[in-house]
């Protein structure tokens, strides 16, 4: 695209000064096709007379027929097809000619969407780069919920973009707002909509359980209709520019504390789009009384994983290893995790409980598990050595029996006798 001033200069030199296209190209430093497009748009004859024949002219009937059958075929593929048929021209001029042949869709007009107070909120995820953690870096995401009437924003950063993180964002948002609206509007993300065929929608079962618990209606936007959830889209842009831009992020908890403070200050005091004399906070105070109560019992936002414990007593979860009792090796365990802790079950019995690590390739251990394994290995070593000694030198049996009766150190005697037997036979 060129400026209006440059287009006016091209038209003046062509129509008033009678410059040729070549002269305009040389003097103004613009492309020949740009000059021709400006003059054609002016619907006036060019100064140089009839245009020269183009190398593409013999192929135009083929191109027109191909575009009639395949309207969305790309110019790059069309260029390859005509080159196979003898065209030797460049791709830039070709793309400009193809653009003039395509039928452009008429501009679509949109109604301004208005919602009642307490009626709707809009939900979405946003990606905010990555954050260094012990052992590497994790992708950083932000869960955003916006009340459609008052534009009050809730945001929470995290590493978990799965269903548990999605549910957790809802629970925290309802606590933040002090209630919830009757309808929650979603994009067609996998955390909300598993499958869609026209108007037939299959919601994620966890989302249905969440909506049933809080008694709200989940509603997806129409396909390719992002304007229907424009308030959360604009809120994400506002978060990027008004909060996150230029911020040094060192820790996830610190980032969320700063985000919470921002929502209670700048984001709350900004002007309300529906009435510039009113603030978002004032509109929210009107809407808050119409939100439905969330209830006393929050929906459990737990991640569930089945993990296999190998020959070492650790269960892997979210890129980290968590210790379990050594008796659980070579078995499958159930892992239930929330944002703060990881619990490991064998059936209904709790095998281990650890603080959750958001690092990568970290080992989280309970010292009791490691000490129990060390003791078990020590006793196993002692028993195997003693068994070998008794089979090799049966005559030591009475000695060990008398030593045990006197409460002596059987282990020390077994070790010393074993070294003697190995040395002298």
């Amino acid at each position: 695209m060129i400026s209006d001033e440059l287009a006016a200069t091209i038209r003046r030199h062509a129509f008033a000064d009678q410059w040729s296209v070549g002269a305009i190209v040389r003097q103004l430093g613009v492309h020949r096709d740009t000059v021709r497009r400006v003059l054609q748009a002016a619907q006036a004859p060019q100064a140089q007379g009839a245009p020269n024949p183009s190398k593409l002219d013999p192929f135009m009937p083929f191109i027109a027929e191909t575009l009639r059958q395949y309207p969305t075929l790309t110019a790059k593929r069309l260029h390859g097809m005509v080159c196979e048929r003898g065209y030797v021209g460049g791709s830039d001029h070709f793309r400009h000619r193809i653009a003039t042949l395509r039928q452009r869709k008429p501009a679509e007009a949109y109604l301004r969407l208005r919602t009642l107070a307490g009626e709707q909120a809009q939900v979405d995820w946003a990606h905010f780069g990555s954050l260094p953690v012990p052992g590497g870096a994790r992708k950083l995401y932000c869960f955003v919920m916006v009340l459609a009437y008052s534009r009050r924003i809730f945001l929470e950063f995290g590493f978990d973009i799965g269903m548990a993180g999605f549910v957790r964002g809802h629970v925290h948002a309802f606590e933040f707002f002090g209630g919830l609206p009757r309808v929650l509007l979603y994009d067609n993300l996998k955390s909300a909509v598993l499958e869609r065929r026209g108007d037939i929608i299959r919601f994620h079962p966890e989302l249905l359980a969440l909506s049933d618990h809080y008694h709200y209606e989940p509603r997806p936007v129409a396909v390719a209709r992002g304007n229907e959830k424009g308030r959360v889209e604009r809120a994400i842009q506002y978060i990027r520019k008004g909060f996150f831009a230029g911020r040094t992020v060192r820790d996830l908890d610190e980032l969320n504390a700063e985000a919470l403070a921002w929502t209670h200050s700048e984001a709350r005091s900004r002007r309300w789009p529906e009435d510039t004399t009113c603030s978002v906070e004032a509109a929210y105070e009107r809407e808050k009384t119409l939100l439905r109560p969330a209830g006393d019992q929050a929906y459990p936002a737990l991640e569930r994983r089945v993990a296999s414990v190998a020959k070492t007593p650790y269960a892997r979860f979210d890129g980290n290893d968590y210790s379990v009792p050594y008796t659980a090796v070579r078995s499958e365990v159930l892992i239930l995790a929330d944002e703060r802790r990881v619990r490991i079950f064998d059936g209904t019995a709790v095998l281990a409980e650890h603080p959750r690590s958001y690092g990568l390739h970290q080992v989280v251990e309970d010292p009791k598990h490691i000490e129990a394994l060390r003791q078990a290995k020590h006793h196993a070593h002692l028993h195997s050595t003693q068994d070998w000694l008794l089979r090799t030198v049966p005559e030591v049996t009475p000695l060990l029996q008398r030593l045990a009766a006197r409460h002596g150190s059987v282990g020390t005697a077994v070790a010393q006798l074993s070294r003697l037997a190995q040395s002298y036979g």
Side-chain angles (χ1 to χ4, degrees):
M1 296 294 293
I2 62 174
S3 66
D4 293 340
E5 181 181 358
L6 180 56
T9 302
I10 292 173
R11 289 191 291 269
R12 184 179 72 252
H13 288 318
F15 303 142
D17 301 334
Q18 298 297 306
W19 285 13
S20 67
V21 172
I24 296 174
V25 169
R26 288 191 299 272
Q27 297 301 319
L28 299 184
V30 293
H31 197 277
R32 184 179 299 270
D33 290 337
T34 301
V35 175
R36 287 175 176 166
R37 284 201 305 273
V38 171
L39 299 179
Q40 288 173 359
Q43 296 182 349
Q46 297 184 18
Q48 68 176 45
N52 295 327
S54 171
K55 298 177 183 178
L56 192 58
D57 290 343
F59 302 93
M60 292 305 293
F62 166 77
I63 292 173
E65 177 61 23
T66 304
L67 285 176
R68 188 186 65 79
Q69 297 182 28
Y70 308 101
T72 59
L73 197 64
T74 64
K76 182 178 180 180
R77 179 63 191 127
L78 272 172
H79 183 259
M81 294 171 68
V82 296
C83 285
E84 293 171 357
R85 289 162 172 78
Y87 177 64
V88 294
S91 60
D92 291 339
H93 173 68
F94 182 85
R95 285 199 302 270
H96 292 317
R97 290 289 298 274
I98 295 302
T100 63
L101 299 178
R102 294 191 188 276
Q103 292 184 354
R104 299 188 179 276
K105 294 182 179 179
E108 183 175 359
Y110 297 96
L111 291 172
R112 185 180 179 89
L113 300 178
R114 296 183 181 274
T115 56
L116 300 175
E119 181 66 22
Q120 184 191 101
Q122 300 180 8
V123 182
D124 207 354
W125 281 112
H127 180 227
F128 280 80
S130 60
L131 183 65
V133 296
R138 286 185 179 272
K139 292 182 178 180
L140 182 64
Y141 298 96
C142 185
F143 174 90
V144 182
M145 183 182 293
V146 180
L147 295 177
Y149 173 78
S150 66
R151 311 309 205 274
R152 190 80 159 93
I153 298 174
F154 169 80
L155 69 153
E156 184 174 62
F157 290 91
F159 302 124
D160 180 17
I161 198 175
M163 198 63 211
F166 195 57
V167 170
R168 190 179 303 122
H170 283 73
V171 175
H172 293 171
F174 298 156
E175 294 173 355
F176 174 82
F177 291 133
L180 66 151
R182 292 165 177 77
V183 176
L184 262 64
L185 198 64
Y186 301 96
D187 200 351
N188 291 280
L189 66 166
K190 288 298 182 182
S191 300
V193 179
L194 291 180
E195 186 179 8
R196 182 169 190 159
R197 296 182 181 275
D199 294 332
I200 303 175
I201 299 169
R202 183 163 68 93
F203 286 102
H204 195 293
E206 191 75 13
L207 180 68
L208 290 178
L210 177 72
S211 63
D212 182 52
H213 179 86
Y214 288 107
H215 308 300
Y216 73 85
E217 177 191 350
R219 184 183 299 170
V221 300
V223 177
R225 284 294 183 268
N227 63 292
E228 295 182 5
K229 63 177 186 67
R231 290 168 190 182
V232 70
E233 297 285 356
R234 287 190 292 273
I236 291 173
Q237 295 177 10
Y238 178 50
I239 292 168
R240 291 190 191 279
K241 297 177 181 178
F243 170 75
F244 196 78
R247 187 174 297 273
T248 301
V249 181
R250 292 178 292 269
D251 178 75
L252 183 63
D253 290 337
E254 179 183 343
L255 177 62
N256 277 320
E258 294 172 353
L260 182 62
W262 179 77
T263 59
H264 284 303
S265 56
E266 179 183 336
R268 183 181 66 179
S269 60
R270 73 190 191 278
R271 290 185 300 177
W272 187 42
E274 301 295 335
D275 182 358
T276 56
T277 63
C278 178
S279 68
V280 167
E281 173 64 16
Y284 169 66
E285 289 299 324
R286 294 196 295 268
E287 184 173 28
K288 185 168 63 173
T289 59
L290 299 175
L291 295 175
R292 297 178 52 257
D296 297 330
Q297 188 172 3
Y299 187 84
L302 295 175
E303 294 177 69
R304 297 173 175 83
R305 297 286 188 277
V306 175
S308 297
V309 181
K311 60 184 180 181
T312 56
Y314 297 94
R316 177 157 294 183
F317 170 73
D318 195 26
N320 300 301
D321 291 333
Y322 295 85
S323 69
V324 296
Y326 72 91
T327 53
V329 297
R330 305 292 186 183
S331 66
E332 284 192 343
V333 295
L334 173 65
I335 299 177
L336 296 181
D338 57 24
E339 57 189 324
R340 296 297 178 190
R341 63 175 179 167
V342 174
R343 291 184 296 163
I344 305 174
F345 292 83
D346 179 13
T348 58
V350 179
L351 292 177
E353 183 172 329
H354 299 278
R356 181 165 183 172
S357 171
Y358 285 100
L360 289 172
H361 315 298
Q362 303 298 297
V363 178
V364 183
E365 294 178 335
D366 185 338
K368 295 178 181 178
H369 297 158
I370 308 306
E371 181 60 27
L373 175 60
R374 185 177 293 111
Q375 291 293 332
K377 297 294 286 185
H378 174 73
H379 290 310
H381 176 70
L382 175 62
H383 292 159
S384 61
T385 304
Q386 180 176 308
D387 181 66
W388 174 85
L389 180 63
L390 294 176
R391 285 186 287 104
T392 306
V393 190
E395 293 81 357
V396 303
T397 302
L399 172 62
L400 296 180
Q401 290 175 343
R402 292 183 65 181
L403 190 62
R406 293 172 59 183
H407 304 290
S409 177
V410 176
T412 301
V414 168
Q416 293 173 344
L417 290 171
S418 298
R419 286 196 295 270
L420 289 172
Q422 291 171 0
S423 301
Y424 302 105

